[in-house]
Amino acid sequence: MTSILSSLLEQSTINDHEEVVKACNAALKESRSNIRTQHVKAVALLHLNRFDDVIRLFEEGGERLRGEAQLEYAYALYKTGDLEKAEQVAGEIDSRGAKHLEGQASYRLENFANAEAIYHKLLEKPQEEENDVRINLGATSAQLLWKQEGSLKTKRKAEREDLEAFETAYNAACISIAQGELVQARILLKQARALCEAHEELTSEQKQEELLPISVQQVYVLNLLGEHEEAQSISTDISIDKIPDLSTRQIAQANKLASTIGDVNPYITQRLLSSTTTLTRSDKLFNFQKLAMERNRMAADLASSKFAGIARSTEKYLKTHSPPSISPRVNGVSCANAAAHARNQLGKLGLKTILPLLGKRPKDIGLVATIVQIYLLTHNQGAAIQIVEKLLRHLDQSNSAAEQEVRYNPGLVAMIVSLYSLEGRKSHIRTELAKAASYWKHRSKASPGLLRSAGLSLLGSTSNEDLKVAGEIFEELRKANPNDRYARAGWVASFATFDPSSASADSESLTAIERLTAGIDVAALEKVGIPPAGTSAASTLLKRKRVDAPLSKPKKKRVRKSKLPKDFDPNKKPDPERWLPLRDRSTYKPKGKKGKQKQATLTQGSSEKAPEIAGAEQARSTVVTASSGGGKSKKKNKKK
């Protein structure tokens, strides 16, 4: 058997793996339990991308073969989509190649913290694949920023080494997208495209294949920036059928539909989104991508008036995922369910059908968020606050630890705090943040942002009890991160009022006030003064300039000659009473004895009354005369 295997290996080359498999099959007919031959066959099958056959071979070979060829077994598991088992098997192997495989499996499983640790460890002893490790680490960093996990909770800027290759530039662009820096991402994607097109070692076919994901990402960024024309121009050059990865193909289809300008047929959009190819186990979307695609399909179904179908499918899903839940998928499905019941109507018509659902699902956060959004669109902040407060009361009454965690979830707390801020309810904000901080400050999953907001809010209180609570909050933040200057400053501010001796030691380590105020022109501030609330200093100065400026003479309105009377004299001032009836003018002189007697009883002319009283009487007399219709009555008397 040894001689057969030796001759087999001597005859094999990198291009004749089929012949190796045939020779191994012939050898295994004589000895089915030969581990060495099975190992050679497994390697040949891997080269032929026959991964399912490799798995069957390892199942037939048993533990002996799996122990002999652990790396090959782990790779076959990875390629067939059994990522959990591939990560476990690769983690038990002490070799550099196995660490690469474990990192890839962890990445696909969205265990980005483990993948990050593996790639950092590989970079400690760099070898010839160092560039590939840096590329994979950049992709992992982008995913960590999306999930706000790991060591990259703070913002990361693109470095010079990120612009040396198109792969690293692309990953840097993804990091910028995760941080919300879309303009920077747009520049980096252009750089990645230029580097890929200028790459000398890639063939034209390879360049086209590498440019496809860059183009897909460019369309996404341009749509978010509102550059729809440029996005549509790039999307027209994307050949979706030529994209090898099915997951990337689905994303490209969605981005291409989103960049369409003009009237869009919702029924065609719905058909295109629902006709995407089913993904394989080895080529799946990440969870956040899957969630976005599901929302796209539900939105397309709602736009094409498939209300009954959406209502049935979402209700079926919600029965198996009972609220309350902070899962984006559950709350998104709940929102789609509400839209289906409301038949895409907003305002009072939409609320009329959605509010009854709240009686059936009072703890449904997605439903509450939908109702709050509709109320805000109608500028009814008070009703929105009542809805959220009712939800919080339901959660407060629960004894479940899971529901208590939902109650003080940073997102839900931020919702009620934002609504309170719209109404200017500062005391309510302080109370809510203090309750949330009291719940989270001794827990490992505490959100630093929530604790900071709570501490800052409590610092505005005049109560020593609130200041002590603020000090406890900042103390917990300092324990979590001793270098956090924000927490140190907050701790000093909280103790400076009632315990100055404790705060004096740390106050010296803070930036001096003289340094903070070095660039401030005190004289200019005093000269400007304090602007009223709700206005800026610039607007105040502008108003002062307008007031102090000399009044310019109003421009005379030019009147067309066709509108002027024939005897018009431009040098003569027109009569200001020309618009009044003749009997109301100061120059009016009635004719006849009766007319003169009647005129004497009226207030027109040179009356000896006080000017302000005479004016008032004249105004009252004018109004009565204008609305009395006396002219008509005279005509009637004449007719009689």
Side-chain angles (χ1 to χ4, degrees), residues 104-388:
Q104 289 283 51
S106 298
Y107 181 83
R108 293 303 307 173
L109 285 171
E110 302 190 34
N111 186 5
F112 303 118
N114 186 47
E116 180 194 36
I118 291 171
Y119 291 130
H120 276 301
K121 192 172 182 179
L122 289 172
L123 285 176
E124 291 177 0
K125 297 179 180 179
Q127 294 186 10
E128 57 183 6
E129 84 284 13
E130 179 182 358
N131 188 45
D132 294 336
V133 176
R134 292 190 180 277
I135 293 171
N136 292 341
L137 181 59
T140 307
S141 301
Q143 296 287 1
L144 280 169
L145 279 170
W146 275 111
K147 298 186 70 174
Q148 292 294 305
E149 294 179 354
S151 61
L152 286 173
K153 293 181 181 179
T154 57
K155 287 193 174 183
R156 177 184 180 274
K157 295 183 179 180
E159 300 176 357
R160 182 182 297 274
E161 61 183 12
D162 294 329
L163 305 179
E164 295 177 355
F166 71 89
E167 298 96 338
T168 53
Y170 176 80
N171 288 334
C174 293
I175 291 173
S176 297
I177 295 171
Q179 295 176 159
E181 299 173 348
L182 299 178
V183 177
Q184 180 72 14
R186 181 182 183 179
I187 297 172
L188 290 170
L189 287 171
K190 284 186 177 181
Q191 179 69 15
R193 174 179 283 275
L195 290 171
C196 183
E197 291 174 347
H199 205 290
E200 298 179 354
E201 298 180 3
L202 296 177
T203 63
S204 58
E205 292 79 9
Q206 291 174 332
K207 287 182 181 180
Q208 291 299 322
E209 185 176 345
E210 296 290 348
L211 284 172
L212 283 172
I214 298 175
S215 300
V216 172
Q217 199 74 294
Q218 279 185 304
V219 173
Y220 174 74
V221 171
L222 291 170
N223 279 327
L224 292 179
L225 289 172
E227 302 289 344
H228 300 295
E229 293 183 359
E230 186 177 353
Q232 188 177 28
S233 175
I234 295 176
S235 64
T236 53
D237 297 333
I238 298 175
S239 300
I240 295 178
D241 296 335
K242 293 183 179 180
I243 299 177
D245 298 333
L246 297 179
S247 57
T248 308
R249 191 181 300 178
Q250 279 195 8
I251 297 171
Q253 180 69 59
N255 290 350
K256 192 170 186 177
L257 291 172
S259 62
T260 305
I261 301 176
D263 296 333
V264 180
N265 190 327
Y267 300 97
I268 295 177
T269 302
Q270 189 273 336
R271 182 175 59 82
L272 290 173
L273 285 176
S274 60
S275 62
T276 52
T277 309
T278 304
L279 300 179
T280 61
R281 290 184 63 188
S282 59
D283 188 9
K284 294 182 179 180
L285 294 169
F286 290 107
N287 283 332
F288 74 92
Q289 294 172 331
K290 189 187 301 182
L291 180 62
M293 294 300 294
E294 288 177 356
R295 289 178 177 175
N296 287 340
R297 294 190 188 97
M298 287 190 292
D301 290 341
L302 290 170
S304 55
S305 302
K306 295 191 174 185
F307 304 120
I310 287 290
R312 285 194 303 269
S313 61
T314 52
E315 285 175 3
K316 183 178 179 181
Y317 179 83
L318 291 173
K319 286 180 180 178
T320 59
H321 300 78
S322 58
S325 173
I326 57 174
S327 168
R329 185 178 186 184
V330 174
N331 292 322
V333 170
S334 179
C335 178
N337 179 265
H341 280 89
R343 304 180 72 85
N344 289 345
Q345 291 179 327
L346 299 175
K348 293 182 179 180
L349 294 176
L351 290 171
K352 186 177 180 181
T353 54
I354 296 176
L355 285 175
L357 299 175
L358 196 59
K360 300 178 182 178
R361 306 196 303 267
K363 299 179 183 179
D364 192 334
I365 296 177
L367 180 59
V368 169
T370 304
I371 296 173
V372 166
Q373 186 66 28
I374 296 176
Y375 273 132
L376 291 179
L377 290 174
T378 57
H379 306 287
N380 193 349
Q381 291 94 343
I385 290 174
Q386 291 178 1
I387 290 293
V388 180

